[in-house]
Amino acid sequence: MLVIGEVHTGLLQNSGEISESTCRQVLGLMAGETVRVSRRPIVHALSPERLTGVDCALPAASRSRIRGVGTVVSRCAVTGGRVAQGSSYVRVVRSEADRRLPWSHYLSRPGVVEVLGKAKAADLAEGFTGDPAPGCLDLGAVSGRFLDLVQASPLLDRRAPFKIPRTSLRWVAETGEPSIRFTLHTEQERTVRLTHPGPFTPAVVDLCEDLATHDWLLTSLLVIVERARIGATPGAQAAARLAPAIDHLMHLWMPAARVEEWLTPFWESLERRPGFTRQWRSLVDRVRDQVAMNTLALLSATAEPGRR
């Protein structure tokens, strides 16, 4: 088994949290298809899936010319009315015919890309999570276009309360002994290598999207704290710069809340190292301490005239 995917995550381009009904409208991109919404423990809306036909080279670490033909599955999600995601993935399999077939064949196998010729799964996995050559299958472009379509909805006022770059998470799932490896490449790019026994299920996609959501939340909170320049700017000014974190981000942290139980050990592994929740709590405590100190300073300054 080899499944590859990419998730783009960003702040929904709206001044405030959107309601469940608005989420349904924003994500209702295909007539007659249903937007799925779960309300516990946090509102999460998921668009209908879209298929994109591809006939192109596949990324390979060896730089070999490997052709793949099939369809990419894409979807978009909104979490907590604030965080938007575009996600795409494919299962990569060997073509039984070893030649190009009519599109009707590929459309009957949604989310499958068939390899024409010889290819090694390890070569493709390394190529996708490494530095893909130009002109190869670009799942990021597909995910990004889908997310752009949602962000352009006329139901959004496009007045986001702060500016935070999108992050991209490329992931590979393979069959093998259970393991997960998360790697930060740049401020916006990450990769995940996941192996687990048994066949592929959409629950793996849910896990990777959940990981991408919380990585973006952690990254965004870190950026907001850095921009506040705590200790280098007056307390009131630093507290004002931290306000967006309190208003829009801090209540959204719920790792593995929508991940199937058999996949939670992978999240637990990431909690040990690199320690997502440990770093999140440290940043949240710093934000709250700074706001509390500023509030005490304001109360003290207000009370002083009365003591004279």
Side-chain angles (χ1 to χ4, degrees):
M1 177 196 74
L2 178 66
V3 187
I4 60 177
E6 185 159 346
V7 187
H8 283 206
T9 309
L11 181 68
L12 193 68
Q13 293 301 296
N14 200 66
S15 55
E17 178 180 318
I18 64 173
S19 66
E20 178 186 324
S21 60
T22 304
C23 281
R24 291 182 184 275
Q25 292 176 278
V26 167
L27 296 179
L29 303 174
M30 299 171 66
E33 297 288 342
T34 302
V35 174
R36 290 180 288 162
V37 177
S38 58
R39 300 176 180 85
R40 300 289 187 273
I42 190 170
V43 175
H44 179 263
L46 187 64
S47 77
E49 293 181 341
R50 279 191 167 191
L51 296 182
T52 302
V54 293
D55 182 349
C56 58
L58 299 178
S62 64
R63 301 296 179 178
S64 301
R65 184 72 179 178
I66 302 171
R67 184 183 179 187
V69 186
T71 57
V72 176
V73 173
S74 300
R75 62 192 195 181
C76 198
V78 175
T79 303
R82 291 316 280 131
V83 183
Q85 284 184 316
S87 175
S88 301
Y89 70 93
V90 296
R91 286 188 295 133
V92 181
V93 302
R94 175 73 181 272
S95 172
E96 295 180 2
D98 211 24
R99 59 184 173 82
R100 178 69 158 76
L101 298 172
W103 271 116
S104 57
H105 167 77
Y106 302 108
L107 290 173
S108 69
R109 307 184 72 192
V112 174
V113 165
E114 298 184 5
V115 176
L116 304 183
K118 295 182 179 180
K120 294 181 179 180
D123 189 25
L124 294 174
E126 289 291 340
F128 184 68
T129 56
D131 185 18
C136 290
L137 175 64
D138 189 349
L139 295 182
V142 180
S143 297
R145 283 197 301 269
F146 201 10
L147 182 52
D148 288 341
L149 184 61
V150 169
Q151 296 282 32
S153 170
L155 298 173
L156 305 178
D157 60 26
R158 304 197 61 79
R159 292 188 288 112
F162 54 93
K163 292 183 178 181
I164 292 289
R166 292 180 184 179
T167 57
S168 67
L169 183 145
R170 293 197 307 275
W171 58 270
V172 170
E174 303 168 88
T175 301
E177 290 297 315
S179 68
I180 188 168
R181 186 177 72 215
F182 176 87
T183 305
L184 283 170
H185 294 275
T186 68
E187 291 184 0
Q188 280 82 50
E189 296 179 355
R190 300 91 168 83
T191 58
V192 167
R193 293 287 297 271
L194 170 73
T195 59
H196 69 89
F200 167 76
T201 74
V204 173
V205 183
D206 295 336
L207 169 66
C208 294
E209 291 174 352
D210 190 59
L211 175 56
T213 297
H214 289 84
D215 170 69
W216 179 86
L217 286 170
L218 180 56
T219 301
S220 299
L221 184 57
L222 183 59
V223 169
I224 289 173
V225 169
E226 289 176 345
R227 288 175 180 173
R229 301 186 65 222
I230 298 173
T233 58
Q237 186 176 343
R241 292 176 179 175
L242 293 171
I246 299 171
D247 294 340
H248 302 282
L249 298 182
M250 283 167 44
H251 63 291
L252 299 176
W253 188 262
M254 296 184 187
R258 294 179 297 98
V259 174
E260 289 193 11
E261 188 174 351
W262 68 276
L263 287 169
T264 54
F266 292 105
W267 246 119
E268 292 167 358
S269 173
L270 294 174
E271 292 288 30
R272 290 190 294 271
R273 186 174 182 182
F276 283 88
T277 297
R278 186 165 59 245
Q279 185 178 10
W280 174 264
R281 288 174 178 165
S282 174
L283 290 170
V284 166
D285 288 345
R286 195 175 185 198
V287 170
R288 288 175 174 161
D289 289 346
Q290 185 65 27
V291 171
M293 289 174 59
N294 182 63
T295 301
L296 289 173
L298 290 173
L299 290 173
S300 176
T302 303
E304 289 225 357
R307 289 202 294 265
R308 293 178 182 175

